[in-house]
Amino acid sequence: MIIHHVPWLVTKLFPAYTWHKDRDHQHIYLTFDDGPVPGITDKVLELLDVYNYKATFFMVGHNVFKYPSLCKEVLAAGHQIGNHTYHHLNGNSCSKETYLADFNACQEIILETLGINTSCFRPPYGRINADQAKEISKSHEIVMWDVLSGDYNNKLPVERIIKKTIQYTRNGSIIIFHDQQKTAHRLPYILPDVLKYISNEDFLPVCL
Ligand SMILES: [Zn+2]
């Protein structure tokens, strides 16, 4: 069972994190985690380009290192880049020192590759402890989500992912997708329908 919509209580328990944005405007926030990965990130760029929608890509440092040109393509297309640690670490299973070193390594490779100092961070798996968060929030907005597409879950039918994503999207929603190997064969079927809905409903996807 997957919870596609983050319960209100969770967002109240962790008010220091960004769960959604302003509900008063018809803006929404498409986010793509774990890339850049050839064969899927480029496909996502193509699909977003159809509507000229902008999104935020939370990149894994090691992928930025492996695929610098793809990384540059994302930036050149006008999208926002965020830090997602260098090795996709789970904050709950490593020390503050290890976590911060990995966070800094990702920050560094993005700066080296793209010349930008991003101020957006998303913890892999949404897992980060209070100590780690306290440090990172001094320089970065810690961005979670309120709509979990579930695109990485192979047991979920594509139709259900599309239906649930659409159902929970409202003003200010931050929607999470993944541009990585696990979703490479599914996202190209999910994203067009979601984007079409967004367009029909006159939501405007923008950067965070
Ligand atoms: Zn991730």
Side-chain angles (χ1 to χ4, degrees):
M1 189 58 197
I2 177 170
I3 298 173
H4 289 275
H5 185 247
V6 174
W8 174 83
L9 184 62
V10 174
T11 69
K12 290 296 157 200
L13 282 173
F14 299 97
Y17 308 150
T18 302
W19 296 95
H20 60 80
K21 293 274 188 178
D22 188 358
R23 297 286 193 202
D24 294 333
H25 295 97
Q26 239 179 326
H27 291 165
I28 58 162
Y29 303 83
L30 302 171
T31 64
F32 296 87
D33 288 11
D34 303 346
V37 172
I40 181 60
T41 304
D42 40 339
K43 185 72 197 165
V44 169
L45 290 180
E46 263 174 46
L47 292 169
L48 291 173
D49 194 46
V50 171
Y51 297 92
N52 195 27
Y53 287 162
K54 300 306 172 197
T56 302
F57 290 76
F58 287 98
M59 295 186 173
V60 169
H62 191 54
N63 284 340
V64 174
F65 173 75
K66 283 193 289 186
Y67 310 114
S69 60
L70 186 53
C71 186
K72 286 174 189 163
E73 268 180 55
V74 176
L75 184 70
H79 302 293
Q80 185 177 10
I81 313 291
N83 181 328
H84 198 49
T85 77
Y86 198 95
H87 292 106
H88 206 261
L89 292 191
N90 180 337
N92 286 355
S93 45
C94 63
S95 71
K96 180 180 166 188
E97 290 68 29
T98 304
Y99 197 73
L100 291 179
D102 210 68
F103 160 81
N104 285 327
C106 182
Q107 192 72 14
E108 199 54 38
I109 190 74
I110 290 173
L111 181 61
E112 259 175 45
T113 309
L114 299 176
I116 57 163
N117 212 357
T118 178
S119 58
C120 268
F121 175 68
R122 173 171 285 155
Y125 317 101
R127 308 244 186 243
I128 183 167
N129 69 36
D131 266 5
Q132 296 157 351
K134 193 178 166 198
E135 203 55 40
I136 289 174
S137 62
K138 287 177 186 168
S139 54
H140 286 63
E141 179 178 10
I142 299 177
V143 182
M144 298 296 196
W145 58 85
D146 66 336
V147 181
L148 179 68
S149 66
D151 57 352
Y152 55 86
N153 188 334
N154 282 327
K155 290 187 185 128
L156 284 180
V158 161
E159 296 73 24
R160 183 187 162 87
I161 291 170
I162 294 167
K163 184 172 166 234
K164 289 293 170 184
T165 303
I166 285 172
Q167 182 182 331
Y168 290 115
T169 294
R170 57 192 177 113
N171 285 2
S173 279
I174 299 174
I175 309 170
I176 177 172
F177 297 100
H178 298 80
D179 52 328
Q180 47 133 287
Q181 284 86 354
K182 268 193 198 173
T183 61
H185 299 293
R186 295 156 59 82
L187 199 51
Y189 294 97
I190 296 164
L191 204 50
D193 278 13
V194 173
L195 295 180
K196 197 169 165 192
Y197 170 81
I198 288 168
S199 168
N200 288 343
E201 295 295 310
D202 284 332
F203 285 115
L204 180 63
V206 291
C207 296
L208 284 159

